Each structure stands twice: as structure tokens, then as C-alpha cells.
Amino acid sequence: MRHIDVHTHLMPQCLWKTVDGGDDWYGMRLESGDGLGFVAGNGKRIFINSPKLRFTPEERIVNMDEEGTDVQVVSIHTPLFPYHWEKGLAIQMSKDVNDEIAGMAKQHPSRFSGLATLPLQDVDASIEELERAVKVLGLKGAEFDMVVNGKTWDEPEFLPLFKAAESMGALLFFHPQPQENLVALERTRKYGLSNSIGVPLEDAILVATLIYGGILEKCPNLRVIVAHGGGPACFGMGRMDHAWKVRSEARANIPKPPSRYQSQLYYDFLTSSEASLRFLINAVGADHVVIGSDWPFVGWDPSPGGWLESLTSLSTEEKEKISFRNLEQMLGI
Amino acid sequence: MRSIDVHAHVTPQCYWRATEGGGEWHGMRREQDARGREVMISGSSRGQLPPRASWTPEQRLADMDSLGVDVQVLSPYAGFYNYELPTATAKATSVDCNDEINQMTTTWPDRFASLGTLPMQDPAAAIAELERIMVQLKFKGAMIDDKINGKMLDEPEYLPFWKAAEQLGALILFHQGGDTVVSPRIKKYHLPNSIGNLADRTLTFASLVFGGVMDACPDLKICFSHGGGYTCYGIGRIDRGWQGIPEANRLNPNPPSTYLRRFYYDSIVYTEEALRFLIDQVGVDRVVFGSDWPYDMAQDWPVSWIMEMESITQEEKDAILWKNLEGLLGI
């Protein structure tokens, strides 16, 4: 069975080449420290928690072969999102990264597809770069954080961007920045809960914001994939529907209950249990679930595609849709 | 067949009487908004009170008859936690709430059982009030928030409270009050409630398990309102987080999922699919009937909602609607 993985992170070679030479890459430098050290600057300190973050495209392909992954849809490691940088730098950095990812996909067209990084503090510049990325570079869409400098996606200023993405057929992959701007950070400092609870909570808030904010109502053909299976959004959808029934503010932008919109979105299969994945599929349909492995951060047994194929509660037809058919269709690969 | 509702709130009559005509109840007030709805005011916080919140016990009983609820396990309105107020004020409001709940239960012992509220900002005072209501007033336990002025319940200062609750056999019902973890991000669309309540419950599960409270207190009885939030659905990732902790640093001998059955969960999950999933994850003996009376987020017609489900067996319905709580609380 072919395996196409939509959720794979990248720290670009243009960054490594610069910082390994002792230079600044957009204000970031290599710092030694625990393990593989840090890339630090612009108010962030990114821990290099996997040696695979340094992989060249060719090393990545060797690893993909070992894991039985046919295609990775590549997007940058989210701590690199440049939304809080000076605008001009963010625009230039986005271009550099997008050029590199497009180069990977051009050189290895059967193994990589790419998603762009955008300077989202500037909506006009983001639309321009998304157009370049999709129409000139051949990228498939872009990766977005759950908030832009504290602003949620239902702010009216972002609607032109969603409209542009919809008209271009661009795919938007939403993924939170762990340990940077998680809403639950104050209460998840212990026991690794920022990752195990904070991250999927971000995914659920994002699903709710796109639905209640009316973005899916206004952009019916927008193509969105939410990381980590959308968090527990599908499990809590009943409570969101109930809020829609009893609260006028929950009905402000949508004439239908939230559950009627949840199958407009796509979700990766990273639910961390077969029972939860089954629940997600029952809620949104196998047509709306795709492989997302969180490469290189999650160890799969035996591999992302192997795990999917081993599940007993999914039919072969469902597995094929999740494994490759849905993304083949969405990405045209 | 009976039905026992573990999640039903009381806004005590003493509050309504004292605040009539602009009066104060321990510094708390009441006013009507532009549409004539009652609003509770405590310091800078405001809470909307639904129409049924002011009902007398007799009116409540009539509504219970209509809903098919035989017994309500009463708990105070969460707007009266008052953890941010001076301890003396929270003690006084706790005593007033608890005494009125006690009066309801002693007057209608077949229809009500009691959970109290406690001044949790002061663990010693909370223990003292828990002892009073458990020993003197024969309460079944107490309802508390997921966080106490920003602190989670795994802080060492709360271990004596957990030990006391365990020793007294008190059932502790977790229920959010005021803001939730979602509030700082987005206040629109009722998300602090519709997502925040469920997230707060999940954080409480994790902090009690990872923080060692469940290991330190093996007989502790805890019930999570709103079905424990996202706990049962998100447990796979919580387990994965535990597996990522080096073995030598793990506080718990077994993964978090093995603790799911240490808790009780109310049935307020709104869809049959979610209730079926909860039962399959935690076991039907751990799921108890709740309604969230009298709020707008309450389940509509909560008894018949469960009765008509096709994927839940009659035996499971009996367990959820009454047998589990009958055994757990002795009612």
C-alpha cells in the first residue's frame, strides 16, 4: 500500500549551512548545550531534539525507505515560524525556505511535496508569497500556526488570505508551535503536559475557531488539514453543537450546528490510539483522514504506514483512503 | 428503575433573599441585565443565572418529576466557590450554601443527597468544613474547581486535603468555575465553556495521576463532571507522554491509562457515540448519570436521552442511571 505522509517537519539546509559556519541565519545561531544543542535567536531557543532534523533530502529518503513512506509532504519545523520577526526579514526568510522546499520536490518529485511558510504578520505579503509558492514553485499550499502573534484566525483581516487560498486550491496545514504560544502553557509546565494535552487542545480550538468563526461557511471549498487528528474536537463536538443551540454568540457566523462543518476539514491520523482514530473516522469519514506521522518526533511501531495497516477495526478501503487515496487526490500526485 | 443525578446545582434561597432589592450576601450582589436576566456579581466577576436557578425546592421537585429524575445529588452553584476572596468570606458562603443544601436533603431525604462547597484557598479550612459536612451533616462529599487561584490540585499543600477526603469517604466532584484554560486565548462563541471545561478536566486527570495523588490515596473517590472532558479520548497521547519520560524519572509505575478506572465520569457528553466511547474506555461501572441542572448547557431531557440509546444495553443504562451511584453513595 502506498503511504503519503502530510505531517513531516523540516529544518532547512540553508539554515544549517549558515549556522554551522558560525554565522547568523536571520538572527539565529547554533548554541551548544544538552544533546545536539540549540538554534537560538529572535527570542526563541529551539532544542534540536532529533538528529534527523539535520538530514539532507537524500538522508531523509533513506529514512523514508526504511519506514516504507513513499511521499513526505514537507513543511518547516514550527518553532521557525517568523510571524514575530520584522516583516521584511520574515518575507525574505519565507522565500528562502520555500525555494529550498520547492527544490527538494523538483529534484525528487516522486518522494517529496512541499508546503510553504508565509510571513503571516502581513496578510498582503502572505497572499503574494502563497501565489508565488503555488503557481511558480509548485508547492501544494502552506503550513499555518494556530494563532498569529496572539490573533486567532477568525479575525476579519485573515479572510482575504483564506479566500485566496480557496481560489488557488492551496492546501492549508495547521500545526501548533509547541512550547511557544500554547494556550495552556501556564498549567502544563509539569509532566510533559504541554505536549500531551496542550498541543491537541490547540488543534481543537483551531477546529472550533474555523467553524464558529464562519471561515468554512464563507469558504466552502477551502482545503484544510489539521494536525494530530484535530485533537479531541470530534469527541467534544456534541458540546459545541449544544453551545450553538443555546448561545446566540455561538450562532453569530454559522447557520448550521458545528458538527455539520467538521467534514469540510481534513485530519491527520495522529490520534495515538486505534479507538480514537476509529471515533474520528466515524465522525468525519475515512475520506477526510490522512497519514500524518509527525516525522521525526514520533517513534512508530513498526512505521507510520505499518501501524495503519496493522489496525483491525479499519477496512482495507478505509486504510487505502487514509494511506494514499485522499492525499493523491488532494495533491494531484 | 431509578435515576440519580450526580450533577445538579443549587443557588441557595438565602442568596436570592439577601440580594432582593439590591441587598448583599457576603458582599455579593445581583442585578438584572437589559433583557431582564439575573446576573450574579462578586467583585469584578459576573455570572448569568438561568431562570430555574431561583426556583424553590418545591419547584425543583416538580421539574425533577417532569424530567424523570428521582434523586438529585445537590452541589452549589460554581459561581460561589469564592476561592479568590478572603478565606473568612469563602468559609461563610460555604457554610451558608452547605447548610441550605443540608436543609433540602433532610426535608426530602428520598429526593436529594448533598455535596458541599469548600474554602479551598485555605486547605486547613477546607478540611475543617469537609469534616463538618461529612461527619455532622452526613454529606456525600464536595464539589471543587480544577484550579485554585491558578494552582492545580497536585500541589503538595493539597495532599492533606486528599488524605482527609479519602479517610472521610467523601466523593469529590470536579467542576470548573469562572475562567478555564481556554479563556486567555478566545472568549468568543462560548469556547471557554464548550472546550475549556473539557480541557480543564483533562488537565485535572493528568495532574492527579502524574502528581502522585492517586498513588498516595488509593481509596480516594473522584468524579469528573462533563464525562471527564477529553480524558478518555486523548489518553493515548497522555500515555505516549508518560512513555517518553525516562524510566528512572517516572513517578507512576504504570501508564496513565491504567488510572482511568480509578475515577468516575458523569454522562454529560451530548452524543450517543461519545457516551459509548466513554463506557468502552473506562468501564460502565465508572459512568454515572449527570444533567447539569439548571443551566443552558444541561442535557435536555437527560433521562430519556439515555433510555432511547440503541448502542447501550439495558444493564448499562441501569448502571449509569442509578445502580453505580446507589452503590457509591449509599442512596
Side-chain angles (χ1 to χ4, degrees):
Chain A
M1 201 177 286
R2 194 177 186 208
H3 302 136
I4 307 176
D5 184 352
V6 81
H7 182 167
T8 77
H9 300 288
L10 172 91
M11 287 183 82
Q13 292 299 308
C14 58
L15 176 151
W16 290 118
K17 279 182 192 132
T18 310
V19 299
D20 283 342
D23 294 322
D24 272 21
W25 187 77
Y26 294 102
M28 287 187 278
R29 299 180 74 86
L30 192 60
E31 275 184 14
S32 58
D34 300 346
L36 301 166
F38 300 84
V39 171
N42 300 320
K44 285 191 192 172
R45 204 151 176 266
I46 305 168
F47 180 44
I48 309 307
N49 53 351
S50 167
K52 294 179 185 177
L53 284 171
R54 278 182 167 273
F55 276 8
T56 62
E58 291 69 28
E59 291 170 319
R60 249 178 127 92
I61 288 170
V62 171
N63 190 243
M64 287 160 64
D65 288 342
E66 287 163 5
E67 295 191 341
T69 299
D70 295 285
V71 183
Q72 280 192 349
V73 184
V74 172
S75 52
I76 61 161
H77 189 30
T78 54
L80 294 170
F81 283 144
Y83 311 155
H84 62 297
W85 300 9
E86 187 273 316
K87 199 195 317 184
L89 284 181
I91 293 170
Q92 190 53 48
M93 178 273 207
S94 299
K95 288 181 194 294
D96 281 359
V97 168
N98 297 341
D99 287 348
E100 179 171 324
I101 292 177
M104 287 171 72
K106 279 208 179 76
Q107 205 175 346
H108 307 279
S110 63
R111 308 309 301 273
F112 295 123
S113 278
L115 296 174
T117 297
L118 300 179
L120 285 162
Q121 61 271 63
D122 183 330
V123 171
D124 291 338
S126 291
I127 293 172
E128 202 175 306
E129 179 60 10
L130 183 62
E131 281 203 7
R132 189 184 78 94
V134 171
K135 293 180 179 167
V136 180
L137 300 180
L139 297 181
K140 303 299 182 182
E143 181 191 35
F144 284 13
D145 197 358
M146 303 319 198
V147 281
V148 180
N149 301 325
K151 284 182 198 161
T152 48
W153 287 108
D154 57 333
E155 293 294 332
E157 69 182 87
F158 295 119
L159 190 59
L161 177 61
F162 289 121
K163 282 286 178 195
E166 183 186 32
S167 72
M168 281 181 246
L171 179 69
L172 305 183
F173 175 58
F174 282 87
H175 187 293
Q177 262 188 87
Q179 294 160 19
E180 283 297 333
N181 53 4
L182 294 180
V183 63
L185 206 54
E186 283 307 315
R187 284 168 59 196
T188 56
R189 293 206 186 278
K190 290 190 279 189
Y191 322 127
L193 301 186
S194 61
N195 188 38
S196 59
I197 295 179
V199 164
L201 173 59
E202 288 286 340
D203 302 316
I205 295 172
L206 184 273
V207 170
T209 306
L210 293 180
I211 292 176
Y212 283 118
I215 292 144
L216 301 182
E217 173 69 25
K218 293 186 184 100
C219 306
N221 298 312
L222 187 67
R223 302 195 304 169
V224 169
I225 298 182
V226 188
H228 318 107
C234 66
F235 185 71
M237 197 52 71
R239 192 170 180 88
M240 287 196 245
D241 273 1
H242 192 85
W244 180 86
K245 286 185 203 164
V246 304
R247 292 280 169 145
S248 56
E249 69 263 34
R251 292 191 299 270
N253 302 316
I254 48 171
K256 296 177 285 184
S259 60
R260 300 270 288 279
Y261 296 90
Q262 66 175 336
S263 293
Q264 263 178 257
L265 299 168
Y266 295 81
Y267 307 84
D268 77 19
F269 78 168
L270 190 40
T271 52
S272 299
S273 87
E274 178 169 359
S276 297
L277 178 58
R278 185 68 255 173
F279 189 96
L280 174 66
I281 296 167
N282 291 346
V284 306
D287 295 335
H288 287 260
V289 181
V290 299
I291 290 182
S293 75
D294 205 358
W295 192 96
F297 300 119
V298 173
W300 290 86
D301 183 19
S303 64
W307 179 76
L308 177 69
E309 289 184 36
S310 76
L311 302 180
T312 56
S313 69
L314 277 64
S315 70
T316 302
E317 193 190 349
E318 288 173 325
K319 289 176 187 176
E320 287 184 352
K321 286 177 173 174
I322 295 167
S323 188
F324 63 96
R325 289 199 198 285
N326 295 336
L327 278 170
E328 272 182 353
Q329 200 176 5
M330 290 172 85
L331 301 170
I333 57 174
Chain B
M1 196 176 94
R2 303 176 74 191
S3 63
I4 306 173
D5 179 356
V6 79
H7 188 160
H9 301 287
V10 175
T11 308
Q13 293 296 310
C14 58
Y15 166 78
W16 292 99
R17 281 193 304 269
T19 54
E20 191 62 45
E24 287 197 355
W25 183 72
H26 304 286
M28 302 164 80
R29 296 181 297 114
R30 171 159 64 93
E31 64 179 35
Q32 292 188 339
D33 70 9
R35 294 172 63 183
R37 296 175 299 191
E38 300 285 352
V39 179
M40 183 281 293
I41 301 160
S42 174
S44 61
S45 73
R46 298 166 68 86
Q48 207 179 83
L49 294 161
R52 289 185 294 183
S54 64
W55 283 8
T56 63
E58 290 81 1
Q59 290 171 308
R60 174 188 292 259
L61 286 164
D63 202 40
M64 288 163 61
D65 289 341
S66 166
L67 294 168
V69 173
D70 296 312
V71 181
Q72 279 188 346
V73 183
L74 304 168
S75 52
Y77 164 45
F80 291 167
Y81 279 141
N82 293 339
Y83 300 155
E84 76 288 0
L85 299 179
T87 301
T89 308
K91 271 165 85 169
T93 57
S94 295
V95 166
D96 271 12
C97 286
N98 296 342
D99 285 352
E100 185 164 325
I101 285 175
N102 183 52
Q103 203 174 25
M104 291 170 72
T105 297
T106 49
T107 308
W108 291 278
D110 297 337
R111 305 303 304 274
F112 297 126
S114 310
L115 298 176
T117 185
L118 307 171
M120 291 296 290
Q121 62 268 62
D122 182 335
I127 292 170
E129 179 62 5
L130 184 62
E131 277 181 0
R132 184 182 81 92
I133 61 177
M134 292 300 294
V135 176
Q136 291 178 30
L137 306 184
K138 308 295 178 203
F139 272 39
K140 304 300 183 187
M143 180 181 86
I144 66 172
D145 199 352
D146 298 281
K147 71 280 174 195
I148 315 294
N149 300 324
K151 281 184 196 157
M152 304 289 286
L153 275 302
D154 60 327
E155 294 293 332
E157 67 191 88
Y158 287 107
L159 191 59
F161 170 78
W162 292 121
K163 285 285 182 194
E166 181 186 34
Q167 200 192 344
L168 291 163
L171 178 74
I172 303 298
L173 175 68
F174 272 99
H175 188 292
Q176 78 293 333
D179 284 349
T180 62
V181 72
V182 170
S183 309
R185 167 65 58 78
I186 184 164
K187 289 201 162 61
K188 288 183 274 189
Y189 320 128
H190 210 35
L191 291 187
N193 178 302
S194 63
I195 291 186
N197 292 1
L198 308 186
D200 272 18
R201 227 44 32 76
T202 313
L203 290 169
T204 296
F205 168 86
S207 62
L208 293 178
V209 169
F210 283 97
V213 173
M214 303 314 289
D215 293 324
C217 305
D219 296 322
L220 190 57
K221 296 192 289 190
I222 290 178
C223 181
F224 289 131
S225 62
H226 309 113
Y230 299 133
T231 304
C232 72
Y233 185 81
I235 193 68
R237 193 173 174 98
I238 299 173
D239 266 1
R240 195 152 64 72
W242 175 85
Q243 284 152 5
I245 302 171
E247 216 167 314
N249 298 343
R250 283 179 195 160
L251 293 172
N252 311 100
N254 297 303
S257 57
T258 61
Y259 292 79
L260 282 174
R261 289 185 49 71
R262 291 286 309 278
F263 299 87
Y264 295 87
Y265 306 81
D266 81 15
S267 57
I268 305 177
V269 294
Y270 301 95
T271 69
E272 181 168 351
E273 293 80 8
L275 185 60
R276 182 71 255 169
F277 187 89
L278 175 65
I279 295 168
D280 291 341
Q281 293 296 306
V282 306
V284 72
D285 56 327
R286 294 281 149 175
V287 181
V288 295
F289 173 56
S291 77
D292 207 0
W293 198 95
Y295 296 102
D296 56 5
M297 290 301 283
Q299 300 256 190
D300 309 323
W301 304 104
V303 177
S304 49
W305 176 68
I306 291 176
M307 284 174 68
E308 71 180 359
M309 289 181 180
E310 288 182 355
S311 69
I312 317 276
T313 67
Q314 188 57 46
E315 203 178 327
E316 288 173 326
K317 290 172 187 173
D318 288 342
I320 294 167
L321 282 168
W322 57 282
K323 280 190 176 164
N324 292 341
L325 281 170
E326 207 178 58
L328 180 64
L329 301 177
I331 48 182

